[in-house]
Amino acid sequence: MRVGVLTGGGDCPGLNAVIRAVVRKGVSTYGHEFVGFRDGWRGPLENVTMPLGIKEVRGILPRGGTILRSSRTNPFKIDGGVERIKENLAATGVDALVAIGGEDTLGVAKKLADLDVHVVGVPKTIDNDLGATDYTFGFDTSVNIAMEAIDRLHTTAESHHRAVVVEVMGRHAGWIALHSGLAGGANVILLPERRFDLDQVVAHVRSRFEIDYSPIIVVAEGAMPSEGEMVTQTGELDAFGHVRLGGIGNWLAGQIEKQTGKEARAVVLGHVQRGGTPTAFDRVLATRFGLHAIDAVNDGDWGKMVALQGTDIVRVPLEDATRELKTVPVERYKEAEVFFG
């Protein structure tokens, strides 16, 4: 069998570990042949490929990013896109696809599976917001990067007696903000799942200053005040209908400084959360996903995604993974026992 592999959407620590596991087991155990499609769904759309064998995946386990590169291409937004993908798969002799990605990438995979394209999905997103899986690889790495930044910001905030607002990624789901904020000892954590009251945030910050403490506020990029909307960098939409977020941290720092009279600074972690070498947890999870994904391909179990449930890797329908986002439930707010606004 000839198998194509692609990585779509935002880059993520652990992508190379999945590619490596898929290829190594696919070649050594099943005797399959592989081809890499470059730049996400643009690869099969425009037939942009690269060799993908044992040689190509040597040494990539600890590397961040993806050797296949990525993009946010949506073939369903391009005239004749689906037909071109089918034609190019046939022309290159590809019998099946392993699509590694998040909500958008696997949404495309699900639609293609419905059109009889042989696809198996692997869940990837630092936001940890895909359904049907307890965790996605990349999340643990991004949380640890954010936590380390928060640890460092505590000392500089205390030295200058400032409030520091840390903006982390999270468009609709606040998992990164919640976990990094808890692990980093933040005083305020603001998530997209629940609008926050600015006056309450300011009051809490002021109370911290009154006891000679420099507060740390962690805010997800998609968090919104009770009055207002998401703060965006631009109103332009990408191929999947998303606007580019960013700016809530600077806005919030400005409001805190204005209303308290104390210095406030914003730190936007941005794409640093995506970069660099994956943690041990993400390397192991990504490797397990890759091993089980090629098993599903060999079994001809199309239209499925490998998922982590408890400690087991299972197969679930792509539809279950993409039906709705996995957001932070109310119980987690109560469990955390921290201030959310």
Side-chain angles (χ1 to χ4, degrees):
M1 187 184 298
R2 195 163 199 238
V3 182
V5 182
L6 64 85
T7 54
D11 64 292
C12 178
L15 281 167
N16 287 321
V18 179
I19 297 168
R20 172 179 175 269
V22 166
V23 172
R24 286 179 64 89
K25 185 171 186 178
V27 172
S28 61
T29 301
Y30 297 123
H32 296 324
E33 180 184 354
F34 292 86
V35 58
F37 284 105
R38 304 297 297 268
D39 304 328
W41 288 112
R42 190 176 78 85
L45 186 68
E46 300 181 8
N47 206 22
V48 183
T49 66
M50 63 171 280
L52 194 60
I54 297 294
K55 177 182 177 182
E56 285 74 23
V57 301
R58 286 198 183 109
I60 68 172
L61 176 64
R63 284 176 57 181
T66 164
I67 62 170
L68 296 177
R69 299 193 307 200
S70 190
S71 75
R72 297 190 182 278
T73 303
N74 184 353
F76 285 90
K77 293 291 186 179
I78 298 171
D79 289 340
V82 175
E83 290 72 20
R84 284 164 58 185
I85 285 178
K86 288 184 174 182
E87 290 169 2
N88 287 330
L89 293 179
T92 52
V94 170
D95 304 294
L97 274 176
V98 175
I100 311 167
E103 170 200 6
D104 297 324
T105 300
L106 296 185
V108 171
K110 190 268 179 187
K111 292 179 181 178
L112 290 175
D114 291 342
L115 298 173
D116 298 323
V117 176
H118 294 167
V119 184
V120 168
V122 177
K124 168 242 57 168
T125 169
I126 65 170
D127 291 327
N128 197 40
D129 60 358
L130 272 173
T133 185
D134 291 344
Y135 284 98
T136 55
F137 68 89
F139 171 66
D140 185 71
T141 303
S142 65
V143 166
N144 275 278
I145 290 169
M147 179 196 69
E148 182 179 348
I150 295 167
D151 287 347
R152 293 174 182 274
L153 289 167
H154 271 291
T155 58
T156 186
E158 291 166 4
S159 297
H160 293 276
H161 201 47
R162 294 169 174 158
V164 175
V165 179
V166 185
E167 181 182 313
V168 299
M169 287 187 170
R171 176 182 297 273
H172 300 296
W175 293 106
I176 296 176
L178 176 66
H179 283 242
S180 65
L182 285 174
N187 307 108
V188 178
I189 303 174
L190 305 173
L191 313 182
E193 287 84 351
R194 181 177 179 182
R195 287 177 176 264
F196 62 88
D197 186 307
L198 178 60
D199 291 338
Q200 288 185 340
V201 173
V202 170
H204 191 73
V205 168
R206 187 178 286 116
S207 71
R208 297 277 87 188
F209 278 125
E210 288 174 354
I211 60 172
D212 199 32
Y213 189 93
S214 299
I216 301 289
I217 301 95
V218 175
V219 57
E221 63 184 351
M224 293 180 287
S226 53
E227 296 182 4
E229 299 299 328
M230 286 183 179
V231 179
T232 63
Q233 295 183 33
T234 172
E236 296 179 1
L237 303 179
D238 67 15
F240 293 94
H242 303 310
V243 295
R244 184 181 299 175
L245 299 181
I248 184 63
N250 283 298
W251 178 85
L252 187 56
Q255 292 296 315
I256 289 171
E257 188 165 294
K258 178 181 177 181
Q259 297 192 39
T260 65
K262 300 287 188 178
E263 282 190 284
R265 295 289 186 270
V267 176
V268 181
L269 296 185
H271 285 77
V272 70
Q273 294 159 93
R274 293 190 180 279
T277 186
T279 60
F281 180 89
D282 280 341
R283 295 186 198 192
V284 172
L285 180 58
T287 298
R288 293 182 71 198
F289 277 160
L291 297 175
H292 283 262
I294 196 59
D295 287 342
V297 168
N298 193 69
D299 293 342
D301 199 3
W302 314 123
K304 298 294 180 61
M305 182 191 81
V306 292
L308 178 68
Q309 295 185 357
T311 58
D312 297 325
I313 306 295
V314 300
R315 300 175 193 173
V316 299
L318 279 166
E319 181 180 3
D320 292 351
T322 58
R323 183 182 298 114
E324 61 182 358
L325 291 176
K326 181 182 68 182
T327 55
V328 178
V330 174
E331 308 86 75
R332 294 299 297 273
Y333 288 88
K334 298 177 181 178
E335 177 185 280
E337 295 183 347
V338 294
F339 178 82
F340 291 109

